[in-house]
């Protein structure tokens, strides 16, 4: 072996060692934080922002919980009546599902019907958030009900605060109200970098619904 190959080899071993040391330091820090986090309680999680991935994140967590044998329920504050893949799957797994489904406001122009429908599913949401046998409640697209003032903000806040201490709640939707963000334990904002729709691709089965 030449001197130059030997020195290149020594250099790469040195690099590997340094990398290992850095990774060990990082692991020690993470372990320290894991050990320090001892509290266990129900979380309020908000997934907001303009990018794609809010509802799918909520449903992903429902799937995760159901996989562990936890009891989950879903309330969708959407106006559409179209089928959704998650519903068909989760109902088979005994996940309770409620959908507002009034049809689009700009078709019906009927605000009164929308408010009545929102209040009806809110009643179901409240019942679920009063039931300590329910481990996880997904309130999909709830944020719009507060933006449109279809639901009373104080009532929503009060219900979230008084829910069973071990119950997790996930709220999704754009432009989440500040008060809910302040109350939440975990908040993620999904940012749109680009979306296929902007290039003329229509909503695809299994990906968008
Ligand atoms: P998903 O249900 O796919 O997780 P989302 O919940 O983040 O999406 P919503 O605002 O609820 O997004 O919109 C639902 C529908 O609109 C989905 O079909 C989604 O692909 C589409 N969509 C989401 N973000 C964008 C965007 N930035 N531009 C265009 N369409 C979008
Ligand atoms: Mg959504």
């Amino acid at each position: 072996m030449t001197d130059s190959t030997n020195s290149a080899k020594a250099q790469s071993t040195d690099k590997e060692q340094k990398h290992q040391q850095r990774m060990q330091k990082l692991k020690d820090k993470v372990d320290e934080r894991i050990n320090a986090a001892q509290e266990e309680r129900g979380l309020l999680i908000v997934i907001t922002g303009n990018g794609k991935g809010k509802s799918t994140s909520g449903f992903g967590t429902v799937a995760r919980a159901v996989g562990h044998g936890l009891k989950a329920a879903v309330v969708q504050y959407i106006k559409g009546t179209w089928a959704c893949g998650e519903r068909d799957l989760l109902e088979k797994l005994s996940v309770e599902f409620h959908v507002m489904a009034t049809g689009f406001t700009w078709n019906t122009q009927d605000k009164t019907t929308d408010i009545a429908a929102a209040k009806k599913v809110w009643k179901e949401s409240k019942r679920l958030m009063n039931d300590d046998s329910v481990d996880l409640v997904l309130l999909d697209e709830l944020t719009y009900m507060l933006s449109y003032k279809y639901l009373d903000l104080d009532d929503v806040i009060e219900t979230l605060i008084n829910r069973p201490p071990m119950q997790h709640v996930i709220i999704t939707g754009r432009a989440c109200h500040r008060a809910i963000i302040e109350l939440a334990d975990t908040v993620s904002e999904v940012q749109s970098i680009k979306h296929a729709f902007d290039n003329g691709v229509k909503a695809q089965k299994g990906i968008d619904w």
Side-chain angles (χ1 to χ4, degrees), residues 50-57 141 144 174 192 195 197-198 203 207-208:
N50 293 334
K52 172 176 165 56
K54 300 176 291 294
S55 296
T56 42
S57 166
E141 321 293 352
Y144 305 102
R174 296 176 192 206
S192 183
H195 194 287
F197 185 70
D198 301 333
I207 298 295
D208 296 298

Side-chain angles (χ1 to χ4, degrees), residues 166-200:
M166 294 308 288
Q167 187 183 74
H168 303 295
V169 173
I170 304 174
I171 294 174
T172 77
R174 296 176 192 206
C176 186
H177 196 286
R178 266 223 85 68
I180 307 265
I181 287 182
E182 269 162 32
L183 188 66
D185 299 285
T186 300
V187 181
S188 292
E189 185 170 27
V190 185
Q191 198 191 335
S192 183
I193 306 290
K194 54 162 115 165
H195 194 287
F197 185 70
D198 301 333
N199 284 319

